[in-house]
């Protein structure tokens, strides 16, 4: 490790421990998946106060933060100065090497989740990590802006609901029959199905307060679903949206999204994450254009790798 200023090494310390059962702010830091190896937490403290965390699954000498999650990465309770953040990064490497890790993969959360994202990306680059993947997430950021948007669009949504005799429900997940409908609708459209249903059921069972099912019904038949997921106390993630292709109601996806935004207002979150819009190796421009009508920010999540 490099030599750091004495006040850093005197005041800060880093520990590597088996993944703690204590509830963490980022929902997926609480998840351990079978077959992914051993889960570890690396924490940085200033004296006795926790300043940040990064979690890994370690298997066959490879450490991944986090496998099968949209992102992992450095999760800071408070901002660190660049030297302090660099101390955390290099201490992390030292701790992982001590348990036999020879390769690292870190996917950093987009900036609305973590204000320190750009600082850590810079430090990862300077410490020899290579950027392997870039995904653009679209966001709608701002409590007041979210509230204003829903108020302005409410009359238009109400009119469409009345004209088409629709009903919209929003509630915690009570059963999982909607998953079969999502699967069937997406297959009918020729979309790839990448949903791990057993994993989702486990997550909902363990953290029911974080999952909200929004459905649109016509004549008591479901015609659209989406999940709003509180990945953090300040965010709502747009997940697994699907619409029955047999239904010819125009702009039904917009109605679904506006109910998601109303949920965000009700939950008092700071932003809505509309996710990425990729077609394997290509950009899904049409989906990005649709989301652009409901977003005011774009932020990248970067995957960094390094072999020791």
């Amino acid at each position: 490790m490099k030599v750091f200023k004495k006040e850093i090494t005197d005041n800060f310390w880093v520990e590597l421990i088996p993944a703690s059962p204590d509830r963490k702010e980022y929902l997926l830091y609480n998840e351990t998946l079978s077959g992914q190896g051993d889960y570890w937490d690396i924490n940085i403290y200033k004296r006795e106060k926790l300043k940040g965390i990064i979690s890994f699954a370690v298997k066959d000498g490879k450490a991944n933060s986090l496998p099968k999650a949209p992102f992992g990465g450095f999760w800071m309770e408070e901002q660190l100065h660049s030297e302090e953040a660099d101390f955390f990064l290099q201490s992390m490497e030292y701790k992982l090497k001590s348990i036999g890790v020879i390769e690292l993969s870190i996917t950093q959360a987009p900036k609305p989740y973590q204000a320190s994202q750009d600082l850590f990306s810079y430090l990862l680059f300077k410490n020899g990590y290579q950027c392997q993947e870039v995904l653009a997430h679209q966001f709608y950021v701002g409590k007041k802006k979210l509230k204003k948007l829903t108020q302005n669009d409410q009359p238009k949504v109400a009119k469409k609901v009345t004209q088409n005799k629709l009903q919209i429900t929003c509630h915690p997940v009570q059963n999982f029959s909607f998953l079969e409908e999502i699967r069937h609708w997406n297959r009918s459209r020729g979309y790839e199905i990448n949903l791990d249903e057993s994993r989702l059921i486990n997550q909902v069972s363990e953290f029911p307060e974080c999952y909200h099912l929004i459905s649109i019904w016509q004549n008591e038949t479901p015609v659209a679903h989406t999940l709003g997921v509180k990945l953090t106390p300040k965010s709502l993630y747009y997940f697994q949206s699907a619409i029955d292709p047999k239904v010819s109601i125009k702009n039904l996806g917009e109605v679904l999204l506006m109910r998601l935004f109303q949920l965000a207002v009700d939950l008092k979150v700071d932003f809505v994450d509309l996710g990425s819009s990729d077609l394997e190796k290509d950009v899904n421009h049409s989906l990005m254009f649709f989301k652009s009508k409901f977003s005011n920010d774009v932020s990248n999540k970067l995957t960094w790798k390094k072999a020791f």
Side-chain angles (χ1 to χ4, degrees):
M1 293 174 61
K2 293 179 181 177
V3 177
F4 288 86
K5 290 182 178 179
K6 190 172 187 300
E7 57 263 32
I8 295 177
T9 54
D10 282 351
N11 293 325
F12 287 86
W13 58 283
V14 175
E15 68 173 0
L16 168 73
I17 58 173
S20 167
D22 295 339
R23 180 71 181 263
K24 304 179 181 76
E25 181 179 277
Y26 173 41
L27 178 65
L28 297 182
Y29 265 172
N30 299 287
E31 181 182 45
T32 56
L33 301 175
S34 62
Q36 299 299 321
D38 297 323
Y39 278 75
W40 299 86
D41 293 339
I42 300 178
N43 303 322
I44 184 170
Y45 296 86
K46 184 175 184 180
R47 300 182 181 92
E48 299 303 317
K49 186 176 181 181
L50 180 67
K51 291 291 185 177
I53 180 174
I54 185 167
S55 293
F56 289 94
V58 178
K59 183 179 181 181
D60 300 329
K62 297 181 179 180
N64 187 340
S65 177
L66 288 166
K68 297 188 176 183
F71 50 80
F74 294 93
W75 203 265
M76 307 310 297
E77 299 286 332
E78 297 180 15
Q79 289 277 57
L80 298 181
H81 297 302
S82 60
E83 285 184 299
E84 297 164 349
D86 206 26
F87 172 72
F88 186 22
L89 192 161
Q90 294 191 44
S91 297
M92 172 202 75
E93 286 192 4
Y94 178 80
K95 297 288 186 181
L96 290 174
K97 287 178 184 177
S98 73
I99 58 171
V101 170
I102 58 173
E103 185 175 303
L104 269 174
S105 177
I106 299 172
T107 299
Q108 282 288 96
K111 196 167 185 177
Y113 289 100
Q114 276 292 298
S116 59
Q117 192 254 35
D118 286 343
L119 172 60
F120 275 101
S121 291
Y122 169 72
L123 294 174
L124 287 164
F125 175 76
K126 287 296 186 179
N127 279 276
Y129 288 76
Q130 293 186 331
C131 185
Q132 298 291 313
E133 186 175 26
V134 180
L135 281 175
H137 277 226
Q138 288 167 272
F139 294 86
Y140 203 97
V141 180
K143 279 184 182 179
K144 291 182 179 179
K145 291 179 180 179
L146 281 166
K147 188 173 184 179
K148 184 176 180 180
L149 176 68
T150 56
Q151 289 174 340
N152 290 343
D153 276 28
Q154 198 277 332
K156 182 173 66 175
V157 172
K159 182 179 179 181
K160 183 173 290 290
V161 167
T162 301
Q163 286 178 340
N164 294 280
K165 299 179 180 179
L166 302 175
Q167 301 85 41
I168 305 176
T169 58
C170 178
H171 50 68
V173 178
Q174 297 167 344
N175 64 69
F176 296 93
S177 60
F178 71 96
L179 292 177
E180 176 58 34
E181 290 155 352
I182 286 177
R183 187 191 310 112
H184 176 68
W185 295 340
N186 283 336
R187 282 178 177 163
S188 297
R189 294 177 181 273
Y191 297 161
E192 289 290 329
I193 311 298
N194 296 315
L195 177 62
D196 185 338
E197 293 185 10
S198 62
R199 181 185 175 200
L200 177 60
I201 291 170
N202 287 336
Q203 289 174 344
V204 174
S205 299
E206 189 169 359
F207 303 102
E209 74 281 5
C210 295
Y211 289 82
H212 302 263
L213 176 63
I214 298 171
S215 301
I216 300 178
W217 305 71
Q218 188 177 46
N219 300 321
E220 300 185 356
T221 300
V223 294
H225 297 298
T226 194
L227 280 172
V229 185
K230 284 194 74 177
L231 287 180
T232 73
K234 297 180 180 179
S235 68
L236 190 65
Y237 184 64
Y238 175 55
F239 184 57
Q240 288 300 318
S241 175
I243 297 172
D244 185 348
K246 295 179 182 178
V247 175
S248 58
I249 301 172
K250 189 177 180 182
N251 299 327
L252 195 58
E254 295 186 10
V255 177
L256 203 60
L257 262 178
M258 289 312 303
R259 185 60 185 89
L260 179 80
F261 277 48
Q262 182 59 56
L263 173 62
V265 172
D266 295 341
L267 295 174
K268 297 181 172 60
V269 301
D270 292 341
F271 61 89
V272 174
D273 180 359
L274 298 177
S276 58
S277 304
D278 265 30
L279 287 171
E280 294 183 0
K281 296 182 180 180
D282 298 320
V283 180
N284 190 336
H285 288 294
S286 61
L287 183 55
M288 289 193 77
F289 176 75
F290 169 73
K291 290 180 181 178
S292 70
K293 294 185 285 184
F294 303 91
S295 62
N296 59 8
D297 194 15
V298 178
S299 181
N300 293 335
K301 66 178 182 186
L302 310 177
T303 298
W304 297 90
K305 292 188 177 182
K306 183 178 182 179
F308 300 132

